[in-house]
Amino acid sequence: MHALPNESAVVLGIESSCDEMAAAVLRGGREILSSRVHGQAQVHAPYGGIVPELASRDHVRVVSDVVEDALREADLTLDALDGIAVTAGPGLVGSLLVGLSFAKALAWANRLPLVGVHHLVGHLVAAEVAADELAPPYLGLVVSGGHTALYRVGEQGEPAMLGETRDDAAGEAFDKVAQLLGLPYPGGPAISKLALEGDPGAIDLPRPMSRRPGLDFSYSGLKTAVSIELKRRGGLEALSARERADFAASFEAAVAESLVARAVRAMRGASERRLAVVGGVAANRRLRQEMQAAADREGFEAIFPPLDLCTDNAVMIAAAGSRLLMRGVRDDGSLNAFSRVPIGETPWRGDASRPGTAAVSS
Ligand code: KG4
Ligand code: ZN
């Protein structure tokens, strides 16, 4: 059996919770030796969103190649690994099971320690990999296709939720509005690109939850507002190219403004001075600019991982897994996939009282 805990442990991470199959090798929880991501945009593009059955089928097709590529890129063989980390939830169960089964088989065959990782904990830890100086406690804003929430990552790395979306996630709203505007999946990057040609002040859209107290988010009303305004103007076909870009820019501005307003409110109420902004939507140019401006104004530090650590990747899973493995947390062959898992919970781990089971970081 390999020696862990170990400050320079080499950990393989595997992530397959949605429509990316990813594998990465990390040393010491921070040093990226390799990172491979196989996306499925072409598989789902004709449907305007993810088709779960097609996602898991494609995962099965590529999983061993992606893991092999990650090992090759790190210039390592399996016997150099000290442990394996794999996303156990939340996510699409069929997708999760592919990475999970592969990780279990690999760990068993090579007598390696195995640990299941919470996908959102992975997103948060991505900021710690990106910024050497970042360690708990800090606040984290996770904005992805499936989740939009604010967390406080406590002294021991334990995440506690401060607020979350009451309906759609911000990324989901990007994807749905992209569909309304006739743009391809995934919608976030497509809207962001088109928005460069539009005027963010051209179309008057609501700023979700702006008059409500607290730290919750809501995006389904904004999507409906876009849809109503589109119909009022005679539908997508009646729009000029410029108007279509105005819709993209105005929608992007409304999402960015509402995320920044929530984050600022959270930071005003917190003693922490650092905010990690993570998840696929954190790749958004406008959000990054406006959050940075707010951070400068308010006197806090905003930390954004590089774009490839914002969208789904396995570096973040290897990093979160390394932190767990180094403190002695282990899972076994009974490790299972869960579609919905509140942050801080690990239903895949039999004994929740073991040390560090809910921790983001050491
Ligand atoms: O974190 P992620 O890769 O997967 C989930 O865990 O959901 O996030 C994917 C989401 C998608 O909804 C995609 O449209 C959005 O992130 N996204 C963006 C951008 N890049 C990806 N949204 C806005 N602007 C972007 N540049
Ligand atoms: Zn994600």
Side-chain angles (χ1 to χ4, degrees):
M1 186 56 94
H2 290 248
L4 269 172
N6 175 349
E7 288 293 296
S8 57
V10 177
V11 172
L12 169 71
I14 299 177
E15 150 68 35
S16 69
S17 65
C18 196
D19 63 338
E20 270 100 11
M21 171 58 72
V25 183
L26 217 67
R27 187 176 9 233
R30 276 188 201 269
E31 188 192 346
I32 302 169
L33 301 184
S34 69
S35 175
R36 308 290 297 191
V37 181
H38 173 87
Q40 303 180 343
Q42 290 108 317
V43 174
H44 305 289
Y47 308 96
I50 296 165
V51 183
E53 172 70 15
L54 297 181
S56 40
R57 277 170 190 255
D58 197 67
H59 284 336
V60 170
R61 192 174 65 78
V62 303
V63 60
S64 61
D65 284 350
V66 173
V67 171
E68 263 178 45
D69 287 349
L71 286 169
R72 194 175 307 121
E73 190 181 301
D75 206 13
L76 293 176
T77 49
L78 279 169
D79 52 299
L81 296 180
D82 295 304
I84 299 180
V86 62
T87 310
L92 302 169
V93 167
S95 286
L96 286 164
L97 280 172
V98 179
L100 207 68
S101 312
F102 196 85
K104 283 204 279 192
L106 210 58
W108 182 79
N110 294 279
R111 297 172 172 273
L112 285 166
L114 173 73
V115 72
V117 171
H118 192 292
H119 181 78
L120 299 181
V121 169
H123 272 303
L124 286 166
V125 173
E128 294 181 34
V129 176
D132 258 353
E133 72 286 2
L134 182 65
Y138 58 87
L139 261 51
L141 173 63
V142 178
V143 252
S144 73
H147 300 87
T148 299
L150 269 161
Y151 301 99
R152 177 179 185 272
V153 178
E155 281 72 6
Q156 304 303 315
E158 72 288 0
M161 198 174 69
L162 303 174
E164 67 174 335
T165 183
R166 296 185 178 184
D167 39 59
D168 292 353
E172 193 178 350
F174 266 100
D175 296 334
K176 287 178 177 170
V177 168
Q179 230 179 342
L180 292 175
L181 295 178
L183 294 168
Y185 173 87
I191 288 191
S192 195
K193 188 155 169 258
L194 184 60
L196 289 172
E197 296 154 34
D199 172 5
I203 292 149
D204 190 22
L205 294 172
R207 297 301 187 250
M209 310 285 284
S210 60
R211 278 191 288 275
R212 299 259 183 108
L215 295 172
D216 281 352
F217 305 83
S218 165
Y219 290 101
S220 78
L222 178 59
K223 175 205 64 197
T224 307
V226 170
S227 161
I228 290 170
E229 186 58 22
L230 257 177
K231 282 206 191 90
R232 206 182 63 78
R233 294 177 183 223
L236 186 57
E237 298 69 33
L239 296 188
S240 67
R242 173 64 208 227
E243 279 178 308
R244 191 158 156 254
D246 285 345
F247 266 95
S250 302
F251 167 76
E252 184 183 54
V255 175
E257 199 181 305
S258 84
L259 288 169
V260 170
R262 264 5 200 192
V264 164
R265 181 176 288 173
M267 291 307 288
R268 283 183 183 165
S271 55
E272 291 73 25
R273 290 294 80 204
R274 286 173 309 183
L275 174 74
V277 187
V278 301
V281 182
N284 185 266
R285 185 190 42 86
R286 190 178 186 93
L287 174 63
R288 290 169 94 100
Q289 279 169 0
E290 294 199 359
M291 193 67 87
Q292 189 56 57
D296 294 343
R297 228 173 24 241
E298 297 277 326
F300 66 84
E301 191 187 344
I303 292 138
F304 303 94
L307 302 193
D308 56 344
L309 292 185
C310 285
T311 46
D312 284 351
N313 65 87
V315 168
M316 66 187 201
I317 302 306
S322 296
R323 284 154 175 72
L324 293 170
L325 288 166
M326 283 185 210
R327 58 171 62 179
V329 182
R330 302 280 185 277
D331 287 309
D332 57 25
S334 65
L335 183 61
N336 210 345
F338 289 79
S339 60
R340 294 175 155 269
V341 191
I343 205 158
E345 291 185 17
T346 50
W348 48 83
R349 197 160 297 138
D351 179 6
S353 65
R354 269 188 283 169
T357 46
V360 169
S361 182
S362 49

